[in-house]
Amino acid sequence: MEPLIATQDLKKVYRVGKVEVHALRGVDLVVQEGEFVAVVGPSGCGKSTLLHILGGLTPPTSGRVLVDGNDFMAMSDAERTRFRRHKIGFVFQRYNLLPTLTARDNIRIAQHIQGNGFNPHRFAMVTEMLGIADKLNRKPYALSGGEQQRVAIARAIICEPKILLADEPTGNLDSENSQIVLNMLRTLNRTFRQTILMITHNPEAAAVADRIVRMRDGRIVGS
Ligand SMILES: Nc1ncnc2c1ncn2[C@@H]1O[C@H](COP(=O)(O)OP(=O)(O)O)[C@@H](O)[C@H]1O
Ligand SMILES: [Mg+2]
């Protein structure tokens, strides 16, 4: 079976003035559909850079990225943006909710941006599964960090993306809320076969994944 994600000799060099930062030094990563993969490694080893490239947010300096059989580099910017909206959901450490909108509208705006009509069945299923169905009228300030992250996850998956990319999703949460969010990611993966690639430097978070990819200094050193 063709993998959902495949990178080949992926490299990323950031240029800051005259200084070159080699963030990725040749990454070959394969993720199969339905896998829950954790990417771990010390701060600065290139985890976020890898996730941003896989999500089409940042171009690599060289190498190939194939997502669901599509070569990112062969796409125009507009094609890549459309691809990202339809196939990829993002969750970040800071929940990035719009502060003036209710939880409901924060989630619905994702369906709107994607150009999909409102799907009430999907909306009810996702918000119930994430335990936020009774909090939808609240704005972010009236939600706990754990609840805000669950709204952000709902927003990320409402349009049924092929891949959920999560960058330190429990990084701002206490251990109880971390456990709740991790259990929900686990359930999402098991129940909907949601493919998840999650960056973390918390060993307990990594332990909920099926597979742990270890990075160091821009390379994968174990998988
Ligand atoms: N936009 C950027 N400009 C310059 N350097 C960057 C940028 N983003 C990340 N880096 C550098 O690239 C390296 C990898 O960063 P990052 O991918 O954020 O690592 P991690 O997520 O593992 O902490 C670090 O040395 C970081 O300072
Ligand atoms: Mg990072």
Side-chain angles (χ1 to χ4, degrees), residues 187-199:
T187 305
L188 260 179
N189 171 255
R190 290 265 160 86
T191 311
F192 302 136
R193 271 192 94 235
Q194 176 71 57
T195 307
I196 303 176
L197 192 110
M198 174 179 72
I199 288 175

Side-chain angles (χ1 to χ4, degrees), residues 4-7 10 50-60 63-85 87-88 90 163 165:
L4 186 56
I5 300 172
T7 73
L10 201 60
L50 175 62
L51 185 124
H52 292 163
I53 293 173
L54 293 176
L57 297 172
T58 308
R64 285 183 88 202
V65 187
L66 289 160
V67 179
D68 201 20
N70 297 276
D71 186 337
F72 270 15
M73 296 312 105
M75 292 183 195
S76 69
D77 287 352
E79 282 170 335
R80 199 158 43 242
T81 299
R82 195 167 59 238
F83 181 87
R84 185 168 66 229
R85 282 188 188 150
K87 305 259 179 161
I88 297 167
F90 290 97
I163 305 163
L165 298 175

Side-chain angles (χ1 to χ4, degrees), residues 47-48 167-168 199:
K47 304 182 297 295
S48 294
D167 194 346
E168 304 273 6
I199 288 175

Side-chain angles (χ1 to χ4, degrees), residues 65-169:
V65 187
L66 289 160
V67 179
D68 201 20
N70 297 276
D71 186 337
F72 270 15
M73 296 312 105
M75 292 183 195
S76 69
D77 287 352
E79 282 170 335
R80 199 158 43 242
T81 299
R82 195 167 59 238
F83 181 87
R84 185 168 66 229
R85 282 188 188 150
H86 283 83
K87 305 259 179 161
I88 297 167
F90 290 97
V91 177
F92 299 100
Q93 178 171 350
R94 320 180 71 123
Y95 327 114
N96 295 350
L97 299 176
L98 295 168
T100 60
L101 298 184
T102 62
R104 174 181 289 100
D105 289 343
N106 265 286
I107 301 165
R108 286 189 62 166
I109 202 170
Q111 280 178 315
H112 182 71
I113 288 170
Q114 203 207 44
N116 273 13
F118 180 59
N119 179 341
H121 175 70
R122 174 79 181 169
F123 187 90
M125 185 175 66
V126 164
T127 53
E128 260 156 50
M129 199 218 90
L130 290 167
I132 50 173
D134 58 343
K135 310 223 157 61
L136 294 170
N137 291 327
R138 299 200 197 167
K139 290 184 180 171
Y141 71 84
L143 296 167
S144 72
E147 289 163 350
Q148 288 184 63
Q149 191 60 299
R150 279 141 66 190
V151 172
I153 292 169
R155 178 181 57 184
I157 63 164
I158 194 71
C159 297
E160 304 184 54
K162 280 258 177 186
I163 305 163
L164 178 62
L165 298 175
D167 194 346
E168 304 273 6

Side-chain angles (χ1 to χ4, degrees), residues 14 16 21 23 42-49:
Y14 293 107
V16 186
V21 179
S43 181
C45 73
K47 304 182 297 295
S48 294
T49 299

